[in-house]
Amino acid sequence: ERASVYVRVNSSTKYKECRIVDVRPDLDLAVLKIISATKDAGEELSNEGDETYTPVQYGSSSNLLVGQRLIAIGNPFGLDQTVTSGVVSALNREVTGVAGNIIRNCIQTDAAINPGNSGGPLLNSKGDLVGVNTMIITTSGSNAGIGFAIPGDKVREATKEIISKDRVVTYQRKAQGWLGAEIARNDLAAILRKKMGQRIIEGVFVSAVKPDSPAKDVDMKPLKLTEEGTVIVGDRIVAVGGKVVNTKEDLEEDMRSRVEGEQVSITVEDADGNRRVLYVKLMPKPY
């Protein structure tokens, strides 16, 4: 049985009970859902109706540069809402979490992070979240200028996945639809476009196709790498349901609105410029 968790929001004196939705030990991360009941210290829970909160905005952790200014907020030694600042000291660090698990691609910063800062936001100069503070390296137990944060891109991806799964289970909703095709990153796509000698090419390159997936069932062709290191271009997805797709984000946004069992027409184009329409029945997104 999971422990009871209570949180206090901003400067309120009221504590709110939370349900632990799920945890991700590999990211030292948990998602909590606030239950609409409050209590003062020593009082019984009371319902005060649902409240809304303004969420923090995400920034891109993949675009961070060494030397970039960062701001850390936390509760060091019980001193709540403490703000410290520093810079990105290094990127893509690998650290060992408290449970002995390896956490990859961490952000290293010299912003003062002390016991009590874990779980606090790491922000860029715009106030957008680019990481979640997780641990320090120290010989004294306090800050020595070497702190680490989970990258915000991973946090956003993990929390969306946990919340979507919870909605499916809790509210018996249909699961998000899943195509089973991995898409090349935009920087790789730009290189492939240049290689093909065309300035403007609609669509996104299929980099891999999962086995036993809808994409595999309709024989969608991914990129192939020869033994000589040559990349052979497969299919590009140029439209979904008649709507043109130009970036990986376009396709991801479209897929988030689709559910399991939905039949979708997907227009693909091969390296020779030949187009064909594939009719795909989406499967439940695996978690």
Side-chain angles (χ1 to χ4, degrees):
E1 185 177 347
R2 287 178 169 169
S4 296
V5 177
Y6 296 87
V7 299
R8 183 166 60 84
V9 181
N10 298 331
S11 59
S12 172
T13 61
K14 302 285 186 178
Y15 283 83
K16 293 178 175 289
E17 185 178 14
C18 293
R19 174 170 63 89
I20 302 174
V21 178
D22 205 353
V23 296
R24 286 287 300 273
D26 57 318
L27 295 178
D28 194 21
L29 187 71
V31 173
L32 307 178
K33 180 177 176 60
I34 295 177
I35 300 172
S36 58
T38 62
K39 74 172 186 176
D40 283 312
E43 293 183 355
E44 296 296 323
L45 287 171
S46 63
N47 291 312
E48 294 187 345
D50 293 332
E51 295 182 56
T52 58
Y53 302 97
T54 302
V56 65
Q57 298 299 307
Y58 281 96
S60 175
S61 59
S62 60
N63 291 335
L64 288 175
L65 299 173
V66 173
Q68 185 172 337
R69 177 67 61 182
L70 295 175
I71 301 166
I73 301 176
N75 187 36
F77 305 110
L79 302 171
D80 62 345
Q81 301 184 47
T82 295
V83 177
T84 57
S85 65
V87 299
V88 177
S89 302
L91 297 167
N92 301 316
R93 293 299 198 197
E94 187 175 287
V95 299
T96 302
V98 292
N101 55 298
I102 300 298
I103 306 176
R104 295 180 171 84
N105 302 316
C106 288
I107 302 163
Q108 181 183 331
T109 180
D110 66 349
I113 295 176
N114 288 290
N117 273 106
S118 295
L122 188 68
L123 310 172
N124 62 20
S125 55
K126 292 181 179 179
D128 298 331
L129 186 139
V130 294
V132 174
N133 304 320
T134 184
M135 65 179 300
I136 59 174
I137 291 179
T138 178
T139 56
S140 64
S142 58
N143 177 61
I146 305 177
F148 300 96
I150 309 300
D153 292 350
K154 283 194 170 185
V155 173
R156 174 164 46 184
E157 180 182 347
T159 52
K160 281 186 176 180
E161 183 177 296
I162 290 170
I163 291 169
S164 295
K165 181 180 177 182
D166 182 62
R167 286 172 176 168
V168 169
V169 174
T170 304
Y171 303 107
Q172 300 298 308
R173 297 181 180 177
K174 284 191 173 183
Q176 181 180 326
W178 179 64
L179 179 60
E182 293 186 4
I183 304 302
R185 299 194 316 267
N186 293 333
D187 55 351
L188 174 58
I191 294 172
L192 294 172
R193 287 189 176 96
K194 186 176 180 180
K195 176 186 175 183
M196 295 175 71
Q198 294 171 282
R199 283 189 172 184
I200 300 175
I201 302 178
E202 293 176 340
V204 291
F205 292 89
V206 179
S207 60
V209 173
K210 297 289 188 181
D212 301 320
S213 69
K216 184 71 172 178
D217 292 343
V218 295
D219 200 26
M220 196 173 287
K221 306 292 186 185
L223 299 172
K224 289 185 179 179
L225 184 65
T226 67
E227 293 181 357
E228 294 76 24
T230 303
V231 176
I232 299 175
V233 175
D235 287 329
R236 292 194 332 276
I237 297 175
V238 297
V240 178
K243 182 180 179 181
V244 174
V245 172
N246 286 316
T247 66
K248 180 179 179 181
E249 290 75 21
D250 288 344
L251 181 62
E252 290 173 346
E253 182 179 355
D254 186 278
M255 285 294 109
R256 281 195 290 269
S257 68
R258 300 190 182 275
V259 297
E260 61 174 302
E262 184 174 350
Q263 184 163 316
V264 184
S265 63
I266 297 179
T267 305
V268 298
E269 182 176 306
D270 62 24
D272 296 323
N274 301 312
R275 292 194 177 191
R276 64 191 192 278
V277 179
L278 308 175
Y279 294 93
V280 180
K281 186 176 182 180
L282 300 177
M283 294 173 59
K285 183 179 179 180
Y287 293 102

